[in-house]
Amino acid sequence: MTSSKPLPLIAIHGGAGTLTRQAINPAQEAAYHAALQDILLAGQQLLADGGSALDAVSLAVDMLEDCPLFNAGHGAVFTHEETHELDAAVMDGATLRAGAVACISQVRRPVRAARAVMEQSEHVLLVGPGAEAFAKSVGLEMVSPDYFSTENRRAQLHRALAADKTLLDHDGAALASDAAPAPATETAPLDESRKFGTVGAVALDAQGNLAAATSTGGMTNKRVGRVGDSPIIGAGTYADNRTAAVSCTGTGEMFIRAATAYDLCARMAYGGQSLDAAAQQVVMDVLPTIDGKGGLIAVDAQGNVSLPFNTEGMYRGWARVGETPQTAIFR
Ligand code: ASP
């Protein structure tokens, strides 16, 4: 048997969530596929040109943050106080270096702040005003917090407030049963009020290195100061060349409690599980035991990819160099 080198590969997600079947608008669904496809093509090209997995995931998350269809960066959800607090992380599987930011509202591209923490500070996680001061000091583009606001997100917060409970943007079951439908936003394939609003990317490059990046606005009506799983290394984001690169989306508290991204890698390292077996197990078996909803994307150094989710859908796609990118939303 010849063991040929795996093709470089990128996978991305734009959040998991609940499908409202009557809400599916074919044109809008096509727009999501097209946006995912464009981002995959950009990442694929970078990898084809010999670029690193780290650069590929950074580029893909930059583009996902900028794309108004996805709820990270512009279009981020509102906290209970009608403010924004964004979280992001990046990890390099070759060196286990990692960087993350949490509770920031003035850095245009949170994933770049995470990467700067990794590369230009001696720390892993910076939060709030300190993270913003750091981002500014290294020359990142700063914006007014209004930059992230959209009227759909504001209406979503007001619906959650009217429901008089701490409804989480991605707690699909809660909103599905308790709140009025979201007319202004129901043109998206996944109901925006029942969707996990994170974006993420994982990649394998031609050198055999892995990387992961995740960025999020968090959850609608979250308490100010709340931090989700996305910027917690080992919970929402992890990468290790010896096992896998992982980016999660879902009910962050449960992903933190289950140490989901690291658990997947540990199952491969200690249990000898395949990437897909480990990914399926954490998403379909472990998370549901604590009511964890969502999914993840993962790649390993052999070029395997796994994209499980326990919700109705997850915006997702993957592309190997030289192959046509694949995109999907529902099961
Ligand atoms: N996991 C993210 C958080 O808890 C939210 C999401 O995936 O949409 O902040």
Side-chain angles (χ1 to χ4, degrees), residues 10-41:
I10 182 161
I12 61 175
H13 73 78
T18 307
L19 157 70
T20 46
R21 290 182 192 282
Q22 70 278 20
I24 300 171
N25 167 336
Q28 198 67 13
E29 190 175 342
Y32 276 87
H33 282 286
L36 290 167
Q37 173 109 6
D38 280 354
I39 295 166
L40 286 168
L41 285 170

mmCIF file of all heavy atoms in Angstrom, residues 10-41:
data_model
loop_
_atom_site.group_PDB
_atom_site.id
_atom_site.type_symbol
_atom_site.label_atom_id
_atom_site.label_comp_id
_atom_site.label_asym_id
_atom_site.label_seq_id
_atom_site.Cartn_x
_atom_site.Cartn_y
_atom_site.Cartn_z
ATOM 1 N N ILE A 10 -9.354 22.463 4.213
ATOM 2 C CA ILE A 10 -9.957 23.432 5.139
ATOM 3 C C ILE A 10 -11.421 23.077 5.342
ATOM 4 O O ILE A 10 -12.102 22.649 4.398
ATOM 5 C CB ILE A 10 -9.793 24.891 4.640
ATOM 6 C CG1 ILE A 10 -10.392 25.851 5.671
ATOM 7 C CG2 ILE A 10 -10.401 25.112 3.255
ATOM 8 C CD1 ILE A 10 -9.915 27.279 5.530
ATOM 9 N N ALA A 11 -11.906 23.242 6.572
ATOM 10 C CA ALA A 11 -13.341 23.096 6.850
ATOM 11 C C ALA A 11 -13.781 24.321 7.643
ATOM 12 O O ALA A 11 -12.992 24.884 8.413
ATOM 13 C CB ALA A 11 -13.602 21.825 7.654
ATOM 14 N N ILE A 12 -15.014 24.751 7.430
ATOM 15 C CA ILE A 12 -15.522 25.950 8.116
ATOM 16 C C ILE A 12 -16.935 25.686 8.638
ATOM 17 O O ILE A 12 -17.638 24.806 8.144
ATOM 18 C CB ILE A 12 -15.550 27.190 7.173
ATOM 19 C CG1 ILE A 12 -16.464 26.961 5.958
ATOM 20 C CG2 ILE A 12 -14.150 27.549 6.713
ATOM 21 C CD1 ILE A 12 -16.613 28.202 5.054
ATOM 22 N N HIS A 13 -17.333 26.481 9.656
ATOM 23 C CA HIS A 13 -18.740 26.455 10.067
ATOM 24 C C HIS A 13 -19.224 27.878 10.324
ATOM 25 O O HIS A 13 -18.435 28.776 10.601
ATOM 26 C CB HIS A 13 -18.976 25.560 11.284
ATOM 27 C CG HIS A 13 -18.463 26.119 12.584
ATOM 28 N ND1 HIS A 13 -19.122 27.093 13.286
ATOM 29 C CD2 HIS A 13 -17.361 25.824 13.323
ATOM 30 C CE1 HIS A 13 -18.463 27.373 14.392
ATOM 31 N NE2 HIS A 13 -17.373 26.626 14.433
ATOM 32 N N GLY A 14 -20.532 28.036 10.213
ATOM 33 C CA GLY A 14 -21.148 29.339 10.472
ATOM 34 C C GLY A 14 -22.212 29.231 11.540
ATOM 35 O O GLY A 14 -23.182 29.983 11.539
ATOM 36 N N GLY A 15 -22.044 28.263 12.445
ATOM 37 C CA GLY A 15 -22.991 28.097 13.538
ATOM 38 C C GLY A 15 -23.976 26.969 13.285
ATOM 39 O O GLY A 15 -24.281 26.637 12.144
ATOM 40 N N ALA A 16 -24.444 26.382 14.382
ATOM 41 C CA ALA A 16 -25.447 25.320 14.307
ATOM 42 C C ALA A 16 -26.762 25.873 14.832
ATOM 43 O O ALA A 16 -26.778 26.862 15.545
ATOM 44 C CB ALA A 16 -25.010 24.122 15.155
ATOM 45 N N GLY A 17 -27.850 25.236 14.497
ATOM 46 C CA GLY A 17 -29.125 25.737 15.005
ATOM 47 C C GLY A 17 -30.304 24.941 14.526
ATOM 48 O O GLY A 17 -30.172 23.860 13.973
ATOM 49 N N THR A 18 -31.478 25.535 14.756
ATOM 50 C CA THR A 18 -32.727 24.841 14.508
ATOM 51 C C THR A 18 -33.369 25.308 13.212
ATOM 52 O O THR A 18 -33.469 26.494 12.965
ATOM 53 C CB THR A 18 -33.700 25.117 15.662
ATOM 54 O OG1 THR A 18 -33.047 24.799 16.868
ATOM 55 C CG2 THR A 18 -34.938 24.280 15.532
ATOM 56 N N LEU A 19 -33.790 24.376 12.464
ATOM 57 C CA LEU A 19 -34.435 24.672 11.185
ATOM 58 C C LEU A 19 -35.921 24.921 11.389
ATOM 59 O O LEU A 19 -36.596 24.166 12.074
ATOM 60 C CB LEU A 19 -34.241 23.446 10.297
ATOM 61 C CG LEU A 19 -35.207 23.214 9.142
ATOM 62 C CD1 LEU A 19 -34.976 24.254 8.074
ATOM 63 C CD2 LEU A 19 -35.005 21.830 8.601
ATOM 64 N N THR A 20 -36.427 25.991 10.800
ATOM 65 C CA THR A 20 -37.884 26.140 10.725
ATOM 66 C C THR A 20 -38.250 25.831 9.283
ATOM 67 O O THR A 20 -37.973 26.607 8.387
ATOM 68 C CB THR A 20 -38.336 27.563 11.080
ATOM 69 O OG1 THR A 20 -37.501 28.466 10.394
ATOM 70 C CG2 THR A 20 -38.264 27.806 12.561
ATOM 71 N N ARG A 21 -38.869 24.712 9.085
ATOM 72 C CA ARG A 21 -39.053 24.232 7.719
ATOM 73 C C ARG A 21 -39.831 25.203 6.840
ATOM 74 O O ARG A 21 -39.490 25.413 5.678
ATOM 75 C CB ARG A 21 -39.736 22.867 7.727
ATOM 76 C CG ARG A 21 -38.787 21.827 8.263
ATOM 77 C CD ARG A 21 -39.346 20.437 8.280
ATOM 78 N NE ARG A 21 -38.449 19.594 9.063
ATOM 79 C CZ ARG A 21 -37.309 19.115 8.603
ATOM 80 N NH1 ARG A 21 -36.929 19.340 7.373
ATOM 81 N NH2 ARG A 21 -36.527 18.394 9.373
ATOM 82 N N GLN A 22 -40.824 25.839 7.428
ATOM 83 C CA GLN A 22 -41.637 26.751 6.619
ATOM 84 C C GLN A 22 -40.867 28.008 6.240
ATOM 85 O O GLN A 22 -41.290 28.770 5.382
ATOM 86 C CB GLN A 22 -42.948 27.103 7.344
ATOM 87 C CG GLN A 22 -42.808 27.985 8.571
ATOM 88 C CD GLN A 22 -42.422 27.201 9.827
ATOM 89 O OE1 GLN A 22 -41.901 26.093 9.752
ATOM 90 N NE2 GLN A 22 -42.645 27.796 10.987
ATOM 91 N N ALA A 23 -39.739 28.231 6.911
ATOM 92 C CA ALA A 23 -39.020 29.481 6.689
ATOM 93 C C ALA A 23 -38.002 29.395 5.564
ATOM 94 O O ALA A 23 -37.382 30.385 5.221
ATOM 95 C CB ALA A 23 -38.325 29.887 7.977
ATOM 96 N N ILE A 24 -37.816 28.234 5.019
ATOM 97 C CA ILE A 24 -36.739 28.100 4.045
ATOM 98 C C ILE A 24 -37.059 28.849 2.764
ATOM 99 O O ILE A 24 -38.091 28.646 2.141
ATOM 100 C CB ILE A 24 -36.466 26.630 3.700
ATOM 101 C CG1 ILE A 24 -36.077 25.878 4.962
ATOM 102 C CG2 ILE A 24 -35.347 26.515 2.674
ATOM 103 C CD1 ILE A 24 -36.002 24.395 4.748
ATOM 104 N N ASN A 25 -36.175 29.734 2.428
ATOM 105 C CA ASN A 25 -36.305 30.528 1.221
ATOM 106 C C ASN A 25 -35.150 30.098 0.313
ATOM 107 O O ASN A 25 -33.992 30.259 0.677
ATOM 108 C CB ASN A 25 -36.206 31.997 1.653
ATOM 109 C CG ASN A 25 -36.020 32.950 0.509
ATOM 110 O OD1 ASN A 25 -35.531 32.609 -0.560
ATOM 111 N ND2 ASN A 25 -36.402 34.186 0.770
ATOM 112 N N PRO A 26 -35.452 29.522 -0.845
ATOM 113 C CA PRO A 26 -34.386 28.953 -1.684
ATOM 114 C C PRO A 26 -33.307 29.965 -2.063
ATOM 115 O O PRO A 26 -32.121 29.624 -2.101
ATOM 116 C CB PRO A 26 -35.126 28.471 -2.936
ATOM 117 C CG PRO A 26 -36.548 28.333 -2.522
ATOM 118 C CD PRO A 26 -36.787 29.306 -1.408
ATOM 119 N N ALA A 27 -33.729 31.222 -2.299
ATOM 120 C CA ALA A 27 -32.731 32.223 -2.698
ATOM 121 C C ALA A 27 -31.759 32.481 -1.548
ATOM 122 O O ALA A 27 -30.546 32.593 -1.738
ATOM 123 C CB ALA A 27 -33.428 33.524 -3.094
ATOM 124 N N GLN A 28 -32.317 32.574 -0.352
ATOM 125 C CA GLN A 28 -31.477 32.836 0.814
ATOM 126 C C GLN A 28 -30.571 31.638 1.095
ATOM 127 O O GLN A 28 -29.395 31.792 1.405
ATOM 128 C CB GLN A 28 -32.379 33.120 2.011
ATOM 129 C CG GLN A 28 -31.682 33.806 3.157
ATOM 130 C CD GLN A 28 -31.241 35.217 2.823
ATOM 131 O OE1 GLN A 28 -31.660 35.783 1.818
ATOM 132 N NE2 GLN A 28 -30.377 35.760 3.642
ATOM 133 N N GLU A 29 -31.139 30.470 0.950
ATOM 134 C CA GLU A 29 -30.336 29.266 1.167
ATOM 135 C C GLU A 29 -29.167 29.238 0.178
ATOM 136 O O GLU A 29 -28.027 28.921 0.551
ATOM 137 C CB GLU A 29 -31.231 28.026 0.998
ATOM 138 C CG GLU A 29 -30.550 26.761 1.443
ATOM 139 C CD GLU A 29 -31.477 25.542 1.398
ATOM 140 O OE1 GLU A 29 -32.715 25.707 1.358
ATOM 141 O OE2 GLU A 29 -30.945 24.421 1.401
ATOM 142 N N ALA A 30 -29.453 29.624 -1.040
ATOM 143 C CA ALA A 30 -28.399 29.657 -2.061
ATOM 144 C C ALA A 30 -27.325 30.680 -1.694
ATOM 145 O O ALA A 30 -26.131 30.462 -1.922
ATOM 146 C CB ALA A 30 -29.006 29.988 -3.425
ATOM 147 N N ALA A 31 -27.756 31.791 -1.079
ATOM 148 C CA ALA A 31 -26.783 32.822 -0.685
ATOM 149 C C ALA A 31 -25.820 32.280 0.375
ATOM 150 O O ALA A 31 -24.623 32.576 0.358
ATOM 151 C CB ALA A 31 -27.506 34.063 -0.166
ATOM 152 N N TYR A 32 -26.353 31.480 1.296
ATOM 153 C CA TYR A 32 -25.486 30.876 2.317
ATOM 154 C C TYR A 32 -24.482 29.922 1.679
ATOM 155 O O TYR A 32 -23.298 29.942 2.007
ATOM 156 C CB TYR A 32 -26.314 30.141 3.374
ATOM 157 C CG TYR A 32 -26.831 31.078 4.448
ATOM 158 C CD1 TYR A 32 -28.033 31.756 4.281
ATOM 159 C CD2 TYR A 32 -26.097 31.300 5.606
ATOM 160 C CE1 TYR A 32 -28.500 32.631 5.251
ATOM 161 C CE2 TYR A 32 -26.561 32.171 6.582
ATOM 162 C CZ TYR A 32 -27.764 32.828 6.389
ATOM 163 O OH TYR A 32 -28.211 33.700 7.356
ATOM 164 N N HIS A 33 -24.978 29.097 0.766
ATOM 165 C CA HIS A 33 -24.054 28.163 0.097
ATOM 166 C C HIS A 33 -22.971 28.938 -0.656
ATOM 167 O O HIS A 33 -21.794 28.569 -0.623
ATOM 168 C CB HIS A 33 -24.823 27.253 -0.861
ATOM 169 C CG HIS A 33 -25.540 26.134 -0.170
ATOM 170 N ND1 HIS A 33 -24.882 25.040 0.342
ATOM 171 C CD2 HIS A 33 -26.854 25.945 0.112
ATOM 172 C CE1 HIS A 33 -25.758 24.215 0.913
ATOM 173 N NE2 HIS A 33 -26.966 24.746 0.782
ATOM 174 N N ALA A 34 -23.384 30.021 -1.314
ATOM 175 C CA ALA A 34 -22.416 30.797 -2.099
ATOM 176 C C ALA A 34 -21.371 31.444 -1.189
ATOM 177 O O ALA A 34 -20.176 31.467 -1.511
ATOM 178 C CB ALA A 34 -23.146 31.857 -2.925
ATOM 179 N N ALA A 35 -21.831 31.968 -0.041
ATOM 180 C CA ALA A 35 -20.891 32.616 0.883
ATOM 181 C C ALA A 35 -19.898 31.587 1.431
ATOM 182 O O ALA A 35 -18.686 31.838 1.477
ATOM 183 C CB ALA A 35 -21.650 33.276 2.035
ATOM 184 N N LEU A 36 -20.406 30.425 1.826
ATOM 185 C CA LEU A 36 -19.516 29.369 2.336
ATOM 186 C C LEU A 36 -18.514 28.962 1.258
ATOM 187 O O LEU A 36 -17.322 28.782 1.518
ATOM 188 C CB LEU A 36 -20.342 28.149 2.777
ATOM 189 C CG LEU A 36 -21.200 28.321 4.039
ATOM 190 C CD1 LEU A 36 -22.190 27.167 4.181
ATOM 191 C CD2 LEU A 36 -20.341 28.431 5.296
ATOM 192 N N GLN A 37 -19.020 28.830 0.047
ATOM 193 C CA GLN A 37 -18.187 28.418 -1.085
ATOM 194 C C GLN A 37 -17.056 29.419 -1.340
ATOM 195 O O GLN A 37 -15.899 29.033 -1.519
ATOM 196 C CB GLN A 37 -19.108 28.320 -2.308
ATOM 197 C CG GLN A 37 -18.422 28.058 -3.607
ATOM 198 C CD GLN A 37 -18.707 26.638 -4.084
ATOM 199 O OE1 GLN A 37 -19.508 25.932 -3.480
ATOM 200 N NE2 GLN A 37 -18.062 26.223 -5.138
ATOM 201 N N ASP A 38 -17.384 30.711 -1.331
ATOM 202 C CA ASP A 38 -16.374 31.751 -1.573
ATOM 203 C C ASP A 38 -15.273 31.687 -0.518
ATOM 204 O O ASP A 38 -14.090 31.841 -0.827
ATOM 205 C CB ASP A 38 -17.012 33.145 -1.468
ATOM 206 C CG ASP A 38 -17.754 33.495 -2.741
ATOM 207 O OD1 ASP A 38 -17.672 32.723 -3.716
ATOM 208 O OD2 ASP A 38 -18.427 34.559 -2.739
ATOM 209 N N ILE A 39 -15.687 31.497 0.716
ATOM 210 C CA ILE A 39 -14.710 31.476 1.810
ATOM 211 C C ILE A 39 -13.839 30.223 1.695
ATOM 212 O O ILE A 39 -12.616 30.286 1.869
ATOM 213 C CB ILE A 39 -15.445 31.578 3.168
ATOM 214 C CG1 ILE A 39 -16.128 32.954 3.256
ATOM 215 C CG2 ILE A 39 -14.500 31.347 4.340
ATOM 216 C CD1 ILE A 39 -17.169 33.104 4.357
ATOM 217 N N LEU A 40 -14.461 29.106 1.345
ATOM 218 C CA LEU A 40 -13.683 27.874 1.153
ATOM 219 C C LEU A 40 -12.695 28.031 -0.004
ATOM 220 O O LEU A 40 -11.545 27.581 0.079
ATOM 221 C CB LEU A 40 -14.615 26.698 0.877
ATOM 222 C CG LEU A 40 -15.387 26.179 2.093
ATOM 223 C CD1 LEU A 40 -16.480 25.216 1.655
ATOM 224 C CD2 LEU A 40 -14.448 25.491 3.091
ATOM 225 N N LEU A 41 -13.136 28.658 -1.073
ATOM 226 C CA LEU A 41 -12.247 28.843 -2.235
ATOM 227 C C LEU A 41 -11.029 29.672 -1.847
ATOM 228 O O LEU A 41 -9.904 29.369 -2.261
ATOM 229 C CB LEU A 41 -13.003 29.494 -3.394
ATOM 230 C CG LEU A 41 -13.967 28.578 -4.158
ATOM 231 C CD1 LEU A 41 -14.832 29.380 -5.125
ATOM 232 C CD2 LEU A 41 -13.203 27.477 -4.914
#
